[in-house]
């Protein structure tokens, strides 16, 4: 059953989000979604952590969230730090202080923006299937192609283009329902939102050195068969961090939280156990 999203208006922009788990709990886990799908990708995680409230914000344009104007401080057209600002503003609006913040892939890129914009915003971080390096060379050329497909063929064209890379061969063979679900999640977004998020991702800055300043515990999760953000990317992040745990999920690709929710949730549950809950 699809979740009902809540919404709030921040500086004239609608921000939508899922508010799940234990609503009265002071222990909050924030989960930032990947590209090009919205908050529903977190369905297997939303009620998986007893004693934790789980907030999943919809980034600008996704799931009916509005797109704020250019960032004012410092001035910028919409960029990854503008996405981060919207998550920070949502947490302020909900009076949530220093939650555990997790993100998968683009969600990780947004977390790097949160570290830049509000270094003390999180009490711990979960970086799943993501990487700190920016796009260059072939990846930049592929981004231009993605924008073209999003505009000409819409979310269906994007799903056709991306699905072969999003999950492992094992998931495709043994859990075809995950591929069906991912198609549904992608086709629920608009081509214009997908094109804009692609532009935002392709202009994101290098964030590797940023991790050296992170003083909170970090959990890195990576699907061993992830071809978009690889085990090598996870290892590069690990090398920059002081208090870090890395969990590799065998047989999973890029969408590790959907491909093997049991393994993903076990890793997150153990990590959260360090901070609170029952
Ligand atoms: C994602 O899953 O968020 C995207 O694949 C990230 C990317 O394309 O860099």
């Amino acid at each position: 059953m699809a979740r009902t999203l809540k919404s709030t208006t921040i500086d004239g922009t609608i921000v939508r989000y899922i508010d799940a788990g234990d609503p009265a709990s002071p222990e909050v886990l924030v989960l930032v979604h990947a590209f090009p799908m919205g908050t529903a990708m977190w369905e297997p995680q939303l009620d998986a952590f007893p004693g934790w409230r789980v907030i999943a914000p919809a980034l600008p344009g996704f799931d009916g969230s509005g797109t704020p104007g250019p960032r004012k401080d410092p001035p910028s057209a919409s960029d990854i730090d503008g996405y981060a600002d919207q998550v920070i503003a949502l947490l302020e609006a909900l009076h949530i202080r220093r939650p555990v913040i997790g993100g998968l892939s683009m969600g990780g890129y947004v977390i790097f923006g949160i570290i830049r914009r509000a270094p003390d915003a999180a009490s711990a971080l979960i970086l799943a299937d993501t990487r700190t390096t920016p796009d260059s060379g072939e990846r930049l050329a592929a981004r231009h192609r993605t924008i073209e497909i999003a505009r000409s063929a819409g979310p269906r064209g994007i799903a056709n283009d991306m699905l072969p890379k999003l999950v492992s061969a094992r998931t495709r063979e043994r859990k075809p329902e995950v591929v069906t679900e991912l198609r549904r999640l992608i086709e629920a977004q608009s081509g214009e939102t997908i094109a804009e998020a692609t532009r935002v991702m392709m202009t994101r800055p290098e964030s590797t050195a940023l991790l050296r300043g992170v003083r909170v515990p970090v959990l890195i999760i990576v699907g061993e068969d992830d071809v978009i953000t690889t085990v090598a990317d996870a290892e590069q992040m690990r090398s920059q961090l002081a208090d870090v745990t890395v969990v590799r999920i065998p047989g999973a690709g890029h969408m590790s939280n959907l491909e093997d929710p049991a393994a993903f949730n076990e890793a997150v549950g153990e990590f959260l156990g360090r901070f609170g809950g029952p």
Side-chain angles (χ1 to χ4, degrees), residues 34-35 104-106 109 131 143 162 201 228 254:
F35 167 92
L104 192 140
S105 199
M106 177 173 73
Y109 308 159
R131 66 192 153 94
R143 295 292 191 201
M162 286 194 71
M201 285 194 296
I228 297 178
H254 189 58

Side-chain angles (χ1 to χ4, degrees), residues 171-187:
T171 299
R172 243 188 325 276
E173 263 166 46
R174 299 193 191 171
K175 298 183 179 174
E177 68 281 4
V178 172
V179 180
T180 307
E181 175 63 0
L182 275 168
R183 176 176 286 283
R184 193 185 70 77
L185 295 178
I186 294 171
E187 292 186 359

Side-chain angles (χ1 to χ4, degrees), residues 6-81:
K6 293 187 174 174
S7 40
T8 187
T9 301
I10 300 171
D11 290 337
T13 302
I14 293 178
V15 181
R16 307 195 75 209
Y17 61 99
I18 293 177
D19 192 347
D22 182 346
S25 177
E27 313 287 357
V28 183
L29 170 64
V30 176
L31 292 174
V32 187
H33 64 80
F35 167 92
M37 66 265 326
T39 53
M41 67 163 270
W42 294 118
E43 186 57 42
Q45 282 70 49
L46 294 174
D47 295 313
F49 311 111
W52 285 77
R53 180 180 179 192
V54 179
I55 301 285
L59 294 172
F62 290 86
D63 294 346
S65 269
T67 43
R71 187 156 59 74
K72 297 182 196 75
D73 160 37
S76 157
S78 174
D79 60 11
I80 204 78
D81 287 7

Side-chain angles (χ1 to χ4, degrees), residues 89-103:
L90 175 66
L91 297 180
E92 277 168 12
L94 298 178
H95 306 291
I96 292 171
R97 279 193 38 77
R98 305 205 75 224
V100 176
I101 306 182

